[in-house]
Amino acid sequence: AQSVAQPEDQVNVAEGNPLTVKCTYSVSGNPYLFWYVQYPNRGLQFLLKYITGDNLVKGSYGFEAEFNKSQTSFHLKKPSALVSDSALYFCAVIPASGTYKYIFGTGTRLKVLA
Amino acid sequence: NAGVTQTPKFRILKIGQSMTLQCTQDMNHNYMYWYRQDPGMGLKLIYYSVGAGITDKGEVPNGYNVSRSTTEDFPLRLELAAPSQTSVYFCASSYVSSGANVLTFGAGSRLTVL
């Protein structure tokens, strides 16, 4: 079965430190990969996506993600965390076979401590 | 530009009651979706639509119905509400032509069935 795994329910990081939120996927072919962020009582917002090309993708709010095909991973990173980055982060994939059916991970709660 | 608008934001239902969650988008997106979000479970697709007059089931359609009479509107109807339908519901839309499509989400509707 096709799936997306976010192995950490919660990640804590001190403000100013680099952060990483992990994502691995199990999907056949060459999927499209996404990160979305959800702030309290809000809908999900798009952060970045990988379709093809450079393995390092830059997105909104200083976030970036690194695609690793051999490890089937798409980890979200930021060089210096802000308290305002505290939110719920979702990794998602669209299998190459379809352009509309997302598979979402279960989410990782990021807490940035002042 | 309002994006995706969902109403109501909160609702409490008794077992067996029915209700409709409204969703409207003003971006002329062709695809629309309904997801439910349960704690620790990520997002599950309930129904989706690829255009006016066309709808299809997602992963968890039982107990729900949808219609898409216009491009803008995609209401979700709950018939005979059950406690298992207690959840946060998100409507989303996207423009799909080719390649990966980015979802725009509404703010969500929190439903409690007692």
Side-chain angles (χ1 to χ4, degrees):
Chain A
Q2 302 182 110
S3 63
V4 175
Q6 293 182 244
E8 301 152 319
D9 290 335
Q10 182 160 316
V11 170
N12 295 328
V13 63
E15 187 174 31
N17 282 2
L19 69 89
T20 298
V21 182
K22 296 179 181 177
C23 172
T24 59
Y25 62 90
S26 176
V27 173
S28 58
N30 297 313
Y32 305 133
L33 301 159
F34 301 80
W35 278 99
Y36 285 81
V37 59
Q38 184 180 29
Y39 297 102
N41 301 313
R42 302 284 297 275
L44 280 70
Q45 298 176 30
F46 169 73
L47 268 183
L48 51 80
K49 68 179 177 182
Y50 174 84
I51 300 176
T52 188
D54 193 348
N55 290 343
L56 187 64
V57 179
K58 294 190 184 297
S60 306
Y61 313 121
F63 283 92
E64 57 191 26
E66 186 168 13
F67 170 64
N68 187 318
K69 186 172 183 177
S70 62
Q71 296 185 1
T72 61
S73 66
F74 189 55
H75 300 331
L76 181 70
K77 300 181 180 185
K78 188 174 183 181
S80 178
L82 300 173
V83 172
S84 57
D85 293 330
S86 299
L88 187 57
Y89 290 81
F90 288 95
C91 181
V93 303
I94 296 178
S97 59
T99 58
Y100 50 83
K101 282 190 178 177
Y102 273 73
I103 302 170
F104 283 91
T106 52
T108 298
R109 187 165 300 281
L110 173 67
K111 289 189 81 172
V112 181
L113 308 170
Chain B
N1 193 341
V4 178
T5 302
Q6 288 181 237
T7 57
K9 293 192 186 310
F10 304 94
R11 182 73 185 268
I12 298 174
L13 283 180
K14 294 182 180 178
I15 294 172
Q17 288 185 318
S18 300
M19 74 160 297
T20 299
L21 299 177
Q22 302 290 346
C23 176
T24 299
Q25 55 94 5
D26 62 358
M27 297 169 286
N28 202 32
H29 284 172
N30 49 356
Y31 281 54
M32 295 188 74
Y33 317 76
W34 275 105
Y35 289 91
R36 59 178 287 172
Q37 182 182 29
D38 300 304
M41 300 293 290
L43 278 78
K44 300 295 184 184
L45 181 64
I46 305 172
Y47 270 95
Y48 67 97
S49 168
V50 302
I54 306 170
T55 63
D56 207 348
K57 296 177 181 179
E59 301 170 81
V60 290
N62 291 345
Y64 307 95
N65 275 301
V66 293
S67 60
R68 185 114 180 257
S69 57
T70 66
T71 299
E72 295 79 18
D73 300 309
F74 190 43
L76 176 73
R77 180 142 180 95
L78 282 72
E79 306 280 5
L80 299 174
S84 61
Q85 294 178 304
T86 294
S87 188
V88 181
Y89 292 84
F90 288 99
C91 180
S93 69
S94 65
Y95 185 75
V96 179
S97 57
S98 63
N101 66 105
V102 173
L103 298 175
T104 300
F105 284 84
S109 299
R110 184 176 295 274
L111 175 67
T112 301
V113 182
L114 301 175

Short mmCIF file of all heavy atoms in Angstrom, two decimals, chain A residues 18-62:
data_model
loop_
_atom_site.label_atom_id
_atom_site.label_comp_id
_atom_site.label_asym_id
_atom_site.label_seq_id
_atom_site.Cartn_x
_atom_site.Cartn_y
_atom_site.Cartn_z
N PRO A 18 18.84 25.12 14.10
CA PRO A 18 18.26 24.52 12.88
C PRO A 18 17.21 23.47 13.25
O PRO A 18 17.28 22.85 14.31
CB PRO A 18 19.47 23.87 12.20
CG PRO A 18 20.46 23.66 13.30
CD PRO A 18 20.24 24.75 14.29
N LEU A 19 16.24 23.31 12.36
CA LEU A 19 15.21 22.31 12.61
C LEU A 19 15.10 21.37 11.41
O LEU A 19 15.37 21.75 10.26
CB LEU A 19 13.86 22.97 12.88
CG LEU A 19 13.14 23.69 11.74
CD1 LEU A 19 12.25 22.75 10.93
CD2 LEU A 19 12.31 24.85 12.29
N THR A 20 14.70 20.13 11.71
CA THR A 20 14.42 19.14 10.68
C THR A 20 13.15 18.40 11.07
O THR A 20 13.02 17.93 12.21
CB THR A 20 15.56 18.12 10.52
OG1 THR A 20 16.74 18.81 10.12
CG2 THR A 20 15.21 17.07 9.47
N VAL A 21 12.23 18.29 10.15
CA VAL A 21 11.03 17.48 10.32
C VAL A 21 11.08 16.39 9.25
O VAL A 21 11.16 16.68 8.06
CB VAL A 21 9.75 18.32 10.18
CG1 VAL A 21 8.51 17.45 10.41
CG2 VAL A 21 9.76 19.48 11.16
N LYS A 22 11.02 15.14 9.70
CA LYS A 22 11.30 14.02 8.80
C LYS A 22 10.05 13.50 8.10
O LYS A 22 8.94 13.51 8.66
CB LYS A 22 11.95 12.88 9.59
CG LYS A 22 13.31 13.25 10.16
CD LYS A 22 13.91 12.09 10.94
CE LYS A 22 15.26 12.49 11.51
NZ LYS A 22 15.84 11.40 12.34
N CYS A 23 10.28 13.01 6.87
CA CYS A 23 9.20 12.41 6.08
C CYS A 23 9.81 11.35 5.17
O CYS A 23 10.80 11.61 4.50
CB CYS A 23 8.50 13.47 5.25
SG CYS A 23 7.30 12.82 4.06
N THR A 24 9.23 10.17 5.17
CA THR A 24 9.58 9.14 4.20
C THR A 24 8.31 8.66 3.53
O THR A 24 7.21 8.79 4.07
CB THR A 24 10.29 7.95 4.85
OG1 THR A 24 9.44 7.38 5.85
CG2 THR A 24 11.61 8.37 5.50
N TYR A 25 8.46 8.12 2.33
CA TYR A 25 7.27 7.71 1.58
C TYR A 25 7.50 6.35 0.94
O TYR A 25 8.63 5.93 0.71
CB TYR A 25 6.92 8.77 0.52
CG TYR A 25 8.00 8.96 -0.51
CD1 TYR A 25 8.01 8.22 -1.68
CD2 TYR A 25 9.03 9.89 -0.31
CE1 TYR A 25 9.01 8.38 -2.63
CE2 TYR A 25 10.02 10.05 -1.24
CZ TYR A 25 10.01 9.30 -2.39
OH TYR A 25 11.01 9.47 -3.32
N SER A 26 6.39 5.70 0.68
CA SER A 26 6.41 4.42 -0.01
C SER A 26 5.39 4.50 -1.13
O SER A 26 4.18 4.27 -0.93
CB SER A 26 6.06 3.28 0.95
OG SER A 26 6.00 2.05 0.25
N VAL A 27 5.86 4.92 -2.30
CA VAL A 27 5.00 5.13 -3.45
C VAL A 27 5.78 4.67 -4.68
O VAL A 27 6.95 4.98 -4.82
CB VAL A 27 4.62 6.62 -3.59
CG1 VAL A 27 3.87 6.87 -4.88
CG2 VAL A 27 3.78 7.07 -2.41
N SER A 28 5.12 3.99 -5.56
CA SER A 28 5.79 3.54 -6.77
C SER A 28 5.97 4.70 -7.75
O SER A 28 5.23 5.68 -7.71
CB SER A 28 4.98 2.42 -7.43
OG SER A 28 3.68 2.88 -7.72
N GLY A 29 6.98 4.58 -8.57
CA GLY A 29 7.22 5.59 -9.58
C GLY A 29 7.86 6.84 -9.01
O GLY A 29 8.50 6.82 -7.96
N ASN A 30 7.65 7.94 -9.69
CA ASN A 30 8.23 9.23 -9.28
C ASN A 30 7.11 10.14 -8.80
O ASN A 30 6.46 10.82 -9.60
CB ASN A 30 8.96 9.86 -10.47
CG ASN A 30 10.13 9.02 -10.92
OD1 ASN A 30 10.93 8.56 -10.11
ND2 ASN A 30 10.22 8.78 -12.22
N PRO A 31 6.91 10.19 -7.50
CA PRO A 31 5.78 11.00 -6.99
C PRO A 31 6.11 12.48 -6.93
O PRO A 31 7.26 12.89 -6.99
CB PRO A 31 5.58 10.44 -5.58
CG PRO A 31 6.95 10.02 -5.17
CD PRO A 31 7.61 9.50 -6.43
N TYR A 32 5.06 13.28 -6.75
CA TYR A 32 5.20 14.68 -6.40
C TYR A 32 5.13 14.77 -4.88
O TYR A 32 4.31 14.11 -4.26
CB TYR A 32 4.08 15.51 -7.02
CG TYR A 32 3.94 15.36 -8.52
CD1 TYR A 32 2.70 15.16 -9.11
CD2 TYR A 32 5.06 15.43 -9.34
CE1 TYR A 32 2.58 15.03 -10.48
CE2 TYR A 32 4.94 15.31 -10.71
CZ TYR A 32 3.69 15.09 -11.27
OH TYR A 32 3.57 14.98 -12.63
N LEU A 33 5.97 15.60 -4.29
CA LEU A 33 6.11 15.67 -2.84
C LEU A 33 5.81 17.07 -2.35
O LEU A 33 6.20 18.05 -2.99
CB LEU A 33 7.53 15.25 -2.43
CG LEU A 33 7.92 13.83 -2.87
CD1 LEU A 33 9.42 13.69 -2.89
CD2 LEU A 33 7.30 12.82 -1.93
N PHE A 34 5.16 17.16 -1.20
CA PHE A 34 4.70 18.44 -0.69
C PHE A 34 4.92 18.53 0.82
O PHE A 34 4.94 17.52 1.52
CB PHE A 34 3.18 18.62 -0.92
CG PHE A 34 2.76 18.55 -2.35
CD1 PHE A 34 2.60 17.32 -2.98
CD2 PHE A 34 2.47 19.69 -3.06
CE1 PHE A 34 2.20 17.24 -4.31
CE2 PHE A 34 2.05 19.63 -4.38
CZ PHE A 34 1.92 18.40 -5.00
N TRP A 35 5.01 19.75 1.29
CA TRP A 35 4.87 20.07 2.71
C TRP A 35 3.81 21.15 2.87
O TRP A 35 3.80 22.14 2.13
CB TRP A 35 6.18 20.55 3.31
CG TRP A 35 7.12 19.46 3.71
CD1 TRP A 35 8.20 19.00 3.01
CD2 TRP A 35 7.06 18.68 4.90
NE1 TRP A 35 8.80 17.98 3.70
CE2 TRP A 35 8.13 17.76 4.86
CE3 TRP A 35 6.21 18.65 6.01
CZ2 TRP A 35 8.37 16.84 5.88
CZ3 TRP A 35 6.44 17.74 7.02
CH2 TRP A 35 7.52 16.85 6.95
N TYR A 36 2.94 20.91 3.86
CA TYR A 36 1.92 21.88 4.25
C TYR A 36 2.07 22.16 5.74
O TYR A 36 2.52 21.32 6.51
CB TYR A 36 0.51 21.34 4.00
CG TYR A 36 0.09 21.32 2.55
CD1 TYR A 36 0.49 20.30 1.70
CD2 TYR A 36 -0.72 22.33 2.03
CE1 TYR A 36 0.09 20.28 0.37
CE2 TYR A 36 -1.12 22.33 0.71
CZ TYR A 36 -0.71 21.29 -0.11
OH TYR A 36 -1.11 21.29 -1.43
N VAL A 37 1.66 23.36 6.16
CA VAL A 37 1.70 23.74 7.56
C VAL A 37 0.30 24.13 8.02
O VAL A 37 -0.49 24.70 7.25
CB VAL A 37 2.69 24.91 7.80
CG1 VAL A 37 2.33 26.14 6.99
CG2 VAL A 37 2.80 25.25 9.28
N GLN A 38 -0.01 23.77 9.26
CA GLN A 38 -1.31 24.11 9.83
C GLN A 38 -1.11 24.84 11.15
O GLN A 38 -0.58 24.28 12.11
CB GLN A 38 -2.16 22.86 10.05
CG GLN A 38 -3.56 23.18 10.54
CD GLN A 38 -4.39 21.92 10.76
OE1 GLN A 38 -3.87 20.85 11.07
NE2 GLN A 38 -5.70 22.03 10.61
N TYR A 39 -1.54 26.09 11.19
CA TYR A 39 -1.53 26.85 12.43
C TYR A 39 -2.83 26.61 13.17
O TYR A 39 -3.83 26.19 12.57
CB TYR A 39 -1.32 28.34 12.13
CG TYR A 39 0.00 28.62 11.47
CD1 TYR A 39 0.09 28.86 10.10
CD2 TYR A 39 1.19 28.60 12.21
CE1 TYR A 39 1.30 29.08 9.49
CE2 TYR A 39 2.41 28.82 11.60
CZ TYR A 39 2.45 29.05 10.24
OH TYR A 39 3.67 29.25 9.63
N PRO A 40 -2.87 26.85 14.48
CA PRO A 40 -4.06 26.53 15.28
C PRO A 40 -5.34 27.12 14.69
O PRO A 40 -5.37 28.29 14.31
CB PRO A 40 -3.73 27.13 16.64
CG PRO A 40 -2.24 27.08 16.70
CD PRO A 40 -1.76 27.35 15.31
N ASN A 41 -6.36 26.27 14.62
CA ASN A 41 -7.70 26.67 14.15
C ASN A 41 -7.68 27.23 12.72
O ASN A 41 -8.52 28.07 12.38
CB ASN A 41 -8.31 27.70 15.10
CG ASN A 41 -8.42 27.16 16.51
OD1 ASN A 41 -8.89 26.04 16.70
ND2 ASN A 41 -7.97 27.92 17.48
N ARG A 42 -6.75 26.76 11.92
CA ARG A 42 -6.68 27.20 10.53
C ARG A 42 -6.61 25.98 9.62
O ARG A 42 -6.29 24.87 10.05
CB ARG A 42 -5.42 28.05 10.31
CG ARG A 42 -5.31 29.27 11.18
CD ARG A 42 -6.23 30.37 10.72
NE ARG A 42 -5.90 30.85 9.39
CZ ARG A 42 -4.99 31.77 9.14
NH1 ARG A 42 -4.31 32.32 10.13
NH2 ARG A 42 -4.77 32.17 7.90
N GLY A 43 -6.87 26.21 8.35
CA GLY A 43 -6.66 25.15 7.37
C GLY A 43 -5.18 25.01 7.04
O GLY A 43 -4.35 25.81 7.45
N LEU A 44 -4.86 23.97 6.29
CA LEU A 44 -3.47 23.75 5.89
C LEU A 44 -3.06 24.79 4.85
O LEU A 44 -3.88 25.21 4.01
CB LEU A 44 -3.30 22.36 5.29
CG LEU A 44 -3.17 21.20 6.27
CD1 LEU A 44 -4.47 20.91 6.99
CD2 LEU A 44 -2.68 19.95 5.54
N GLN A 45 -1.78 25.19 4.93
CA GLN A 45 -1.24 26.12 3.95
C GLN A 45 -0.05 25.47 3.26
O GLN A 45 0.78 24.83 3.91
CB GLN A 45 -0.76 27.40 4.64
CG GLN A 45 -1.83 28.19 5.35
CD GLN A 45 -1.23 29.38 6.08
OE1 GLN A 45 -0.23 29.95 5.66
NE2 GLN A 45 -1.85 29.76 7.18
N PHE A 46 0.07 25.68 1.97
CA PHE A 46 1.16 25.13 1.17
C PHE A 46 2.48 25.78 1.54
O PHE A 46 2.56 27.01 1.68
CB PHE A 46 0.84 25.37 -0.31
CG PHE A 46 1.96 25.10 -1.24
CD1 PHE A 46 2.35 23.79 -1.51
CD2 PHE A 46 2.63 26.14 -1.86
CE1 PHE A 46 3.39 23.54 -2.41
CE2 PHE A 46 3.67 25.89 -2.76
CZ PHE A 46 4.04 24.60 -3.02
N LEU A 47 3.52 24.97 1.71
CA LEU A 47 4.87 25.47 1.99
C LEU A 47 5.79 25.33 0.79
O LEU A 47 6.46 26.28 0.39
CB LEU A 47 5.50 24.70 3.15
CG LEU A 47 5.34 25.21 4.57
CD1 LEU A 47 6.10 24.32 5.53
CD2 LEU A 47 5.79 26.65 4.70
N LEU A 48 5.86 24.10 0.25
CA LEU A 48 6.75 23.86 -0.88
C LEU A 48 6.41 22.52 -1.51
O LEU A 48 5.68 21.71 -0.94
CB LEU A 48 8.22 23.88 -0.43
CG LEU A 48 8.63 23.02 0.77
CD1 LEU A 48 8.83 21.58 0.39
CD2 LEU A 48 9.91 23.58 1.40
N LYS A 49 6.97 22.33 -2.72
CA LYS A 49 6.74 21.07 -3.42
C LYS A 49 7.98 20.70 -4.23
O LYS A 49 8.78 21.55 -4.62
CB LYS A 49 5.52 21.16 -4.34
CG LYS A 49 5.70 22.10 -5.53
CD LYS A 49 4.44 22.11 -6.39
CE LYS A 49 4.59 23.11 -7.54
NZ LYS A 49 3.37 23.19 -8.38
N TYR A 50 8.11 19.41 -4.45
CA TYR A 50 9.13 18.88 -5.34
C TYR A 50 8.44 18.12 -6.47
O TYR A 50 7.62 17.24 -6.23
CB TYR A 50 10.08 17.93 -4.60
CG TYR A 50 11.05 17.25 -5.52
CD1 TYR A 50 12.23 17.88 -5.89
CD2 TYR A 50 10.77 16.00 -6.06
CE1 TYR A 50 13.11 17.27 -6.77
CE2 TYR A 50 11.64 15.39 -6.93
CZ TYR A 50 12.81 16.02 -7.28
OH TYR A 50 13.68 15.42 -8.16
N ILE A 51 8.81 18.48 -7.69
CA ILE A 51 8.30 17.76 -8.86
C ILE A 51 9.45 17.04 -9.55
O ILE A 51 9.42 15.83 -9.76
CB ILE A 51 7.58 18.70 -9.83
CG1 ILE A 51 6.39 19.37 -9.13
CG2 ILE A 51 7.11 17.94 -11.07
CD1 ILE A 51 5.67 20.39 -9.98
N THR A 52 10.47 17.79 -9.90
CA THR A 52 11.63 17.22 -10.55
C THR A 52 12.76 18.24 -10.46
O THR A 52 12.55 19.37 -10.03
CB THR A 52 11.32 16.90 -12.02
OG1 THR A 52 12.42 16.18 -12.59
CG2 THR A 52 11.07 18.16 -12.82
N GLY A 53 13.99 17.81 -10.80
CA GLY A 53 15.08 18.76 -10.84
C GLY A 53 15.92 18.75 -9.58
O GLY A 53 16.16 17.69 -8.98
N ASP A 54 16.35 19.93 -9.15
CA ASP A 54 17.22 20.09 -8.00
C ASP A 54 16.62 19.43 -6.77
O ASP A 54 15.44 19.65 -6.45
CB ASP A 54 17.46 21.58 -7.74
CG ASP A 54 18.61 21.84 -6.77
OD1 ASP A 54 19.08 20.87 -6.13
OD2 ASP A 54 19.03 22.99 -6.66
N ASN A 55 17.44 18.65 -6.06
CA ASN A 55 16.93 17.92 -4.89
C ASN A 55 16.62 18.82 -3.71
O ASN A 55 15.91 18.41 -2.79
CB ASN A 55 17.92 16.84 -4.47
CG ASN A 55 18.00 15.70 -5.46
OD1 ASN A 55 17.12 15.55 -6.30
ND2 ASN A 55 19.05 14.92 -5.37
N LEU A 56 17.15 20.02 -3.69
CA LEU A 56 16.87 20.96 -2.61
C LEU A 56 15.84 21.97 -3.09
O LEU A 56 16.08 22.72 -4.03
CB LEU A 56 18.15 21.67 -2.17
CG LEU A 56 18.02 22.55 -0.93
CD1 LEU A 56 17.66 21.71 0.30
CD2 LEU A 56 19.31 23.34 -0.69
N VAL A 57 14.71 21.97 -2.43
CA VAL A 57 13.60 22.84 -2.82
C VAL A 57 13.42 23.92 -1.77
O VAL A 57 13.37 23.62 -0.58
CB VAL A 57 12.30 22.03 -2.95
CG1 VAL A 57 11.15 22.93 -3.34
CG2 VAL A 57 12.46 20.90 -3.95
N LYS A 58 13.30 25.15 -2.21
CA LYS A 58 13.07 26.26 -1.27
C LYS A 58 11.60 26.66 -1.31
O LYS A 58 10.96 26.66 -2.36
CB LYS A 58 13.95 27.45 -1.62
CG LYS A 58 15.44 27.15 -1.42
CD LYS A 58 16.28 28.39 -1.54
CE LYS A 58 17.77 28.05 -1.44
NZ LYS A 58 18.11 27.47 -0.12
N GLY A 59 11.07 27.02 -0.12
CA GLY A 59 9.67 27.37 -0.04
C GLY A 59 9.43 28.63 0.76
O GLY A 59 10.32 29.47 0.91
N SER A 60 8.23 28.73 1.29
CA SER A 60 7.82 29.92 2.03
C SER A 60 8.47 29.96 3.41
O SER A 60 8.85 28.94 3.97
CB SER A 60 6.29 29.93 2.20
OG SER A 60 5.64 29.79 0.97
N TYR A 61 8.57 31.18 3.97
CA TYR A 61 9.00 31.43 5.35
C TYR A 61 10.39 30.89 5.66
O TYR A 61 10.69 30.58 6.80
CB TYR A 61 7.98 30.84 6.34
CG TYR A 61 6.55 31.17 6.02
CD1 TYR A 61 5.62 30.16 5.80
CD2 TYR A 61 6.12 32.49 5.92
CE1 TYR A 61 4.30 30.46 5.50
CE2 TYR A 61 4.80 32.79 5.61
CZ TYR A 61 3.91 31.77 5.41
OH TYR A 61 2.60 32.06 5.09
N GLY A 62 11.26 30.75 4.65
CA GLY A 62 12.62 30.29 4.87
C GLY A 62 12.79 28.79 4.96
O GLY A 62 13.89 28.31 5.25
#
